[in-house]
Amino acid sequence: MSHPLAQFVLFDGFDPLDVVAPYEVLSAGREFLGGELDLVFVSAEGARDVVSGTPGITLPATAAWDPGAPGYVVVPGASGPADAVPALLGRFAASAAVPLLRRCLAEPAVTVAAVCGGSLALAMAGLLAGRTATTHVLGIGALAATGVTAVRARVVDDGDLVTAGGVTSGLDLGLYLLERDFGPRIAHAVEELFEYERRGTTWTGRGRAPAA
């Protein structure tokens, strides 16, 4: 039986920490799971070297993106000068990635996980209307303007869509996915290994809503 696959989507101008933080968390989780999780860097165009928005950092996409593979599709935001980031996200939101993302969101066995501006790119592509999500604090207003219920939380779980706030929240996203899908003992083992304690609140649609 094949293992769940975590696909980390790379695009020109991506933010490296949005990718590497959850990658390292899920990679460590894989070890504690006895190898029962596979990880790969992918791009919509297939195998290629992808230049990030941070000078001097390039990562290799080693495979084409498979939108039907059960597991996770992790979408990062962009990095670079503040005035350049929206254009980079917009370019990704108008690229060949959009049909693949739409297919991922239609697959019951796939969880789309976005870090920082990744959720804003999904929203700019028209994929998150009516959903609940978060993004970097500077993008919350723009996210809400696309028809998303924008929540200021470290991690937001909307079922097959899990989003995280600012760039360092990729650590919290990875740990939350491990806890949600594989149990708290696996997530705690990774926390201990990394000497990192999760921050902030995770919002989910479960439980009682606050009184008016």
Side-chain angles (χ1 to χ4, degrees), residues 51-121:
V51 179
S52 79
T54 301
I57 298 181
T58 296
L59 291 178
T62 58
W65 181 356
D66 180 358
Y72 308 113
V73 172
V74 182
V75 181
S79 65
D83 58 350
V85 168
L88 291 169
L89 294 176
R91 191 177 306 147
F92 176 63
S95 72
V98 176
L100 297 172
L101 287 165
R102 187 174 288 110
R103 286 179 59 190
C104 290
L105 287 165
E107 287 284 346
V110 175
T111 294
V112 174
V115 185
C116 198
S119 57
L120 189 53

Side-chain angles (χ1 to χ4, degrees), residues 14-205:
F14 74 92
D15 189 316
L17 190 54
D18 287 359
V19 173
V20 172
Y23 185 96
E24 287 210 30
V25 169
L26 293 181
S27 180
R30 178 182 188 275
E31 298 304 312
F32 288 119
L33 289 165
E36 296 177 17
L37 177 66
D38 295 325
L39 299 91
V40 63
F41 293 141
V42 300
S43 81
E45 300 79 19
R48 67 183 183 98
D49 288 337
V50 187
V51 179
S52 79
T54 301
I57 298 181
T58 296
L59 291 178
T62 58
W65 181 356
D66 180 358
Y72 308 113
V73 172
V74 182
V75 181
S79 65
D83 58 350
V85 168
L88 291 169
L89 294 176
R91 191 177 306 147
F92 176 63
S95 72
V98 176
L100 297 172
L101 287 165
R102 187 174 288 110
R103 286 179 59 190
C104 290
L105 287 165
E107 287 284 346
V110 175
T111 294
V112 174
V115 185
C116 198
S119 57
L120 189 53
L122 294 174
M124 293 166 72
L127 300 176
L128 299 190
R131 305 298 300 263
T132 302
T134 193
T135 189
H136 190 283
V137 62
L138 296 179
I140 284 288
L143 185 65
T146 67
V148 174
T149 300
V151 177
R152 284 286 294 127
R154 187 73 169 170
V155 175
V156 170
D157 182 345
D158 193 33
D160 63 351
L161 172 70
V162 181
T163 55
V167 61
T168 58
S169 64
L171 293 167
D172 303 276
L173 175 74
L175 288 164
Y176 176 72
L177 292 174
L178 289 176
E179 180 178 46
R180 186 187 79 164
D181 297 335
F182 301 103
R185 294 172 67 182
I186 297 296
H188 183 254
V190 177
E191 279 190 339
E192 285 198 311
L193 177 65
F194 282 24
E195 293 192 350
Y196 176 78
E197 295 182 6
R198 278 178 281 179
R199 295 176 49 201
T201 300
T202 296
W203 183 97
T204 74

